[in-house]
Amino acid sequence: MELVNTVTELRYALDTFFFLLSGALVMWMAAGFAMLEAGLVRSKNTTEILTKNICLYAIACTMYLLVGYNIMYVDNSGGGFVPSFGTLIGTQGADADHSLESDFFFQVVFVATAMSVVSGAVAERMKLWAFLVFSVVLTAVIYPVEGYWTWGGGFLSEAGFSDFAGSGIVHMAGAAAALAGVLLLGARKGKYSKNGKINPIPGSNLPLATLGTFILWFGWFGFNGGSQLMVSDFENATAVGQIFLNTNAAAAAGAIAALLVCKTLWGKADLTMVLNGALAGLVAITADPLSPSPVAALIIGAVSGVIVVFSIIGLDKVKVDDPVGAISVHGVCGFFGLMVVPLSNTGATFGAQLLGAAVIFAWVFAASFLVWLVLKNTMGIRVTEEEEMSGMDLHDCGIDAYPEFVSVK
């Protein structure tokens, strides 16, 4: 009996450490989002976008601890539509495979990821404080409610909806919130001409954007690998290895596919599209990084890399201004990832996947649109034209990221 207890305790310790390490990798993705977005905005808006990223992470951690986790998991018996509200974090189960605190930490960094998707899409023209107020609502209520419906044991999980690590629950949800904000916010000044011409607005620091993409790619191993939840036995350890392999393969194929599409369309390699191609592959494989074969993972990633390029082009044509391509990467490719799950996972159905995707998008978009609308009609969500031209750094932060090279063009 003593030997059995020792083995059980060792497995508990190993799985807890695995959860914490995976959560730390996902937390590092916050740095990836910050670097990616800082590189893809103009230099006059760099400090402000960095401020958004570190503050949204802090807000997400605080609000999910006080409110969100309780809505999503605590005291919910499962199967319902309306979640209950438990006590702070909850009570450790006697038969738990890992510590409750490590579970919370792993979940809270996912919430911050969903909110990070929003920051890039609304960059360069949204008021800092309006954005931060919205962060409070999304991380405390909007995300946890749809999280309860899915991972928390609510009605979508009972309907058979499958989303292994969050292509829809995290990424598409973030994109839905971003789209609602962008539609109410409008495009950046000078992005679209009256004659229909689209005027590219290049980012200020592509080395930084590339670094951010590599950080996100690295962190995604924790995002997907940690979602296996265990690593302390043969079956789960093997599964984590497969997840790592497929995650990496999809990202690589997405980058290559986007590169080839750019070469075909324009005769040149567009680095920003290649970066988004890699991220598109990562987002799509996240819905199920375990079931597909490595070759299938390559195909999923490659198709995502093609989709994201045409999605970014398409949104520009309808004048949806997304400075970093977040809606295409996380929304369109997140939906694609959900819909290909049944091709390799016999436990999933296209009907359940479509239902889940529709419910998540409808809830997050509608709730976010309402919050953005209230903010627009109260404190306002967009800076003035003069403030936009001079830059968000000067207006919101009073500090230039590159004081020796600042430009107001």
Side-chain angles (χ1 to χ4, degrees):
M1 180 62 69
E2 183 177 344
L3 179 61
V4 172
N5 289 338
T6 301
V7 171
T8 301
E9 290 175 357
L10 285 174
R11 291 188 62 184
Y12 178 93
L14 180 58
D15 287 331
T16 295
F17 179 73
F18 174 64
F19 238 24
L20 292 172
L21 181 61
S22 297
L25 284 172
V26 181
M27 184 272 172
W28 185 231
M29 290 174 69
F33 278 112
M35 296 301 97
L36 176 66
E37 293 169 18
L40 293 180
V41 300
R42 287 166 288 184
S43 57
K44 63 183 180 180
N45 297 313
T46 306
T47 302
E48 197 262 357
I49 200 71
L50 294 172
T51 303
K52 281 182 178 178
N53 273 272
I54 193 167
C55 289
L56 75 85
Y57 181 80
I59 288 170
C61 292
T62 302
M63 297 312 300
Y64 195 66
L65 172 65
L66 296 177
V67 182
Y69 187 79
N70 305 315
I71 293 175
M72 193 164 167
Y73 289 111
V74 180
D75 293 342
N76 285 317
S77 58
F81 182 80
V82 180
S84 60
F85 188 88
T87 55
L88 193 66
I89 296 184
T91 305
Q92 177 77 48
D95 58 347
D97 298 314
H98 51 266
S99 75
L100 184 62
E101 291 78 11
S102 68
D103 180 80
F104 169 81
F105 177 66
F106 186 68
Q107 294 296 333
V108 75
V109 289
F110 276 58
V111 185
T113 298
M115 191 61 222
S116 294
V117 174
V118 183
S119 61
V122 300
E124 301 204 290
R125 73 272 201 206
M126 173 169 278
K127 289 182 176 180
L128 173 63
W129 287 96
F131 175 84
L132 296 181
V133 171
F134 178 81
S135 300
V136 171
V137 181
L138 184 133
T139 57
V141 179
I142 298 176
Y143 174 92
V145 167
E146 56 99 6
Y148 162 69
W149 292 338
T150 49
W151 289 336
F155 77 100
L156 286 179
S157 63
E158 285 207 332
F161 175 69
S162 178
D163 188 1
F164 186 89
S167 286
I169 297 168
V170 179
H171 296 281
M172 192 181 69
L179 179 61
V182 168
L183 292 178
L184 286 171
L185 192 61
R188 289 169 292 175
K189 296 296 181 182
K191 176 66 176 177
Y192 305 113
S193 300
K194 292 183 179 179
N195 61 5
K197 181 183 178 182
I198 300 170
N199 304 305
I201 302 178
S204 62
N205 195 327
L206 291 186
L208 204 60
T210 305
L211 174 63
T213 301
F214 273 120
I215 292 173
L216 288 169
W217 193 329
F218 176 69
W220 229 287
F221 295 121
F223 201 96
N224 287 354
S227 295
Q228 182 63 21
L229 309 183
M230 295 179 66
V231 74
S232 60
D233 57 36
F234 177 86
E235 181 180 354
N236 283 292
T238 304
V240 171
Q242 178 75 15
I243 290 168
F244 271 52
L245 190 161
N246 286 346
T247 299
N248 194 60
I256 293 170
L259 172 66
L260 295 176
V261 171
C262 292
K263 178 64 176 177
T264 302
L265 293 179
W266 304 303
K268 297 180 181 180
D270 185 327
L271 175 60
T272 61
M273 289 295 188
V274 174
L275 299 179
N276 278 329
L279 296 176
L282 288 164
V283 168
I285 200 65
T286 294
D288 190 347
L290 178 59
S291 299
S293 67
V295 173
L298 283 172
I299 295 171
I300 292 170
V303 174
S304 301
V306 174
I307 290 173
V308 76
V309 175
F310 286 103
S311 176
I312 290 172
I313 294 172
L315 287 179
D316 255 345
K317 287 183 176 179
V318 296
K319 298 184 178 182
V320 175
D321 185 17
D322 180 354
V324 303
I327 296 170
S328 296
V329 170
H330 301 274
V332 177
C333 293
F335 174 73
F336 169 72
L338 290 177
M339 296 313 298
V340 298
V341 169
L343 296 179
S344 58
N345 187 339
T346 57
T349 65
F350 289 108
Q353 294 302 99
L354 186 60
L355 172 65
V359 170
I360 291 170
F361 180 84
W363 159 251
V364 177
F365 180 84
S368 299
F369 192 90
L370 179 61
V371 175
W372 288 127
L373 188 61
V374 170
L375 291 173
K376 182 177 182 178
N377 291 321
T378 51
M379 65 189 302
I381 61 174
R382 180 160 187 152
V383 298
T384 65
E385 186 172 348
E386 293 76 17
E387 290 166 345
E388 184 177 345
M389 290 301 295
S390 61
M392 306 291 287
D393 290 0
L394 178 64
H395 169 61
D396 279 331
C397 303
I399 302 173
D400 293 318
Y402 310 107
E404 297 173 343
F405 306 99
V406 68
S407 171
V408 298
K409 295 181 180 179

